[in-house]
Amino acid sequence: MHLTLASLKLAESGGIKWPPLTDYLIGIEAKCAYLDPNANEIKEDTIKSKKSSKEKVYGIQKQVEKLLSFGFDKGAL
C-alpha cells in the first residue's frame, strides 16, 4: 500500500509524466542464450542457443528491420 501511495503522490506532483510523451520512441529486441547446466565454465561450446547459423542470423536481421519499420527513433538488439 505504501508503494502505491508513494507512486500516486510522485505522479501528482509532476515527478512522473503520464501518459508518457511519444515524440521519441525506442524499440528493443532481446535475445538470450543459456549456459549448459553441466558446464564447469563459460566457453563457446557450453553456450546453447547462440543463433549463429546463417539462417538464424538472417532471421534476426529481419526482426531488426521490422523493429525499425515500426517508426521507432532508435532500435537496439
Side-chain angles (χ1 to χ4, degrees):
M1 187 67 164
H2 293 285
L3 179 61
T4 301
L5 291 174
S7 299
L8 288 172
K9 187 173 181 178
L10 181 63
E12 288 173 354
S13 69
I16 298 174
K17 179 92 173 151
W18 196 262
L21 298 175
T22 57
D23 57 344
Y24 190 83
L25 298 174
I26 298 172
I28 299 172
E29 176 79 24
K31 297 292 180 197
C32 299
Y34 63 94
L35 186 63
D36 184 332
N38 298 317
N40 293 324
E41 61 183 314
I42 299 173
K43 298 187 308 187
E44 186 174 346
D45 60 334
T46 59
I47 296 175
K48 304 297 178 192
S49 190
K50 293 181 276 189
K51 309 281 191 263
S52 56
S53 71
K54 286 184 180 184
E55 294 82 14
K56 296 287 184 182
V57 169
Y58 178 76
I60 291 170
Q61 288 171 337
K62 288 296 170 193
Q63 286 178 323
V64 171
E65 288 173 13
K66 185 177 178 183
L67 183 70
L68 294 174
S69 76
F70 289 151
F72 292 108
D73 296 292
K74 282 202 176 218
L77 175 63

